[in-house]
Amino acid sequence: MSARVLVVDDEVDMLSLIKLILTEKTDYEVVTTNNPLEVAALLEKNKFDVIITDLKMPIMDGMDVVDAIRKKDELIPIIIITAYGSVESAEEAVNKGAFDYIAKPFRQEQLLISIRRALEWLSLIHISE
């Protein structure tokens, strides 16, 4: 069965780019939203295997998205992407439960490898349960 990926970014162009990369290079089912406030409702209605979120967004930033996701699901891998990367924000993201942290601009392969690693980690967690 194909993995389901949720992508959250306030920039519609970035959402389109990530969706294009994932649909051309993988068989993942990709759901996108440019409104981080929709994440909780999307998690209620759907099961996702990986979530990718931008760090800097108006209203609700990526760290808030991580917090909202962790209230619903403690295990789902979350990959944060950002054009404003710093050691401090990467450390905060990992401490809050992010699986990976990728600085923009990123290479397609970098994102694909991160997702593949997240899915492998998730399958190992489910095997041990």
Side-chain angles (χ1 to χ4, degrees), residues 1-19:
M1 182 161 61
S2 176
R4 298 193 72 202
V5 178
L6 173 62
V7 184
V8 184
D9 198 311
D10 61 311
E11 297 177 27
V12 176
D13 290 342
M14 182 56 67
L15 286 176
S16 297
L17 175 62
I18 293 173
K19 185 170 186 169

Side-chain angles (χ1 to χ4, degrees), residues 27-44:
D27 64 347
Y28 303 153
E29 181 182 337
V30 182
V31 176
T32 64
T33 181
N34 67 341
N35 182 353
L37 297 174
E38 294 179 348
V39 170
L42 286 167
L43 288 174
E44 288 290 328

Side-chain angles (χ1 to χ4, degrees), residues 10-115:
D10 61 311
E11 297 177 27
V12 176
D13 290 342
M14 182 56 67
L15 286 176
S16 297
L17 175 62
I18 293 173
K19 185 170 186 169
L20 180 68
I21 291 168
L22 297 182
T23 55
E24 283 188 351
K25 304 277 184 180
T26 71
D27 64 347
Y28 303 153
E29 181 182 337
V30 182
V31 176
T32 64
T33 181
N34 67 341
N35 182 353
L37 297 174
E38 294 179 348
V39 170
L42 286 167
L43 288 174
E44 288 290 328
K45 296 177 188 169
N46 304 284
K47 182 193 179 313
F48 295 100
D49 300 294
V50 176
I51 298 176
I52 301 167
T53 184
D54 189 22
L55 180 62
K56 296 289 184 187
M57 296 181 286
I59 304 169
M60 185 176 187
D61 72 10
M63 297 299 180
D64 295 329
V65 171
V66 171
D67 289 338
I69 293 166
R70 287 295 169 242
K71 287 178 184 171
K72 303 279 184 194
D73 189 325
E74 293 182 10
L75 294 179
I76 189 167
I78 304 166
I79 299 168
I80 293 183
I81 55 173
T82 183
Y84 304 97
S86 69
V87 172
E88 292 81 13
S89 64
E91 186 176 290
E92 181 183 358
V94 170
N95 286 338
K96 283 186 173 271
F99 179 83
D100 203 354
Y101 183 96
I102 299 174
K104 294 178 188 175
F106 54 83
R107 295 181 336 273
Q108 290 182 21
E109 282 303 312
Q110 186 179 11
L111 181 61
L112 294 169
I113 289 168
S114 182
I115 295 168

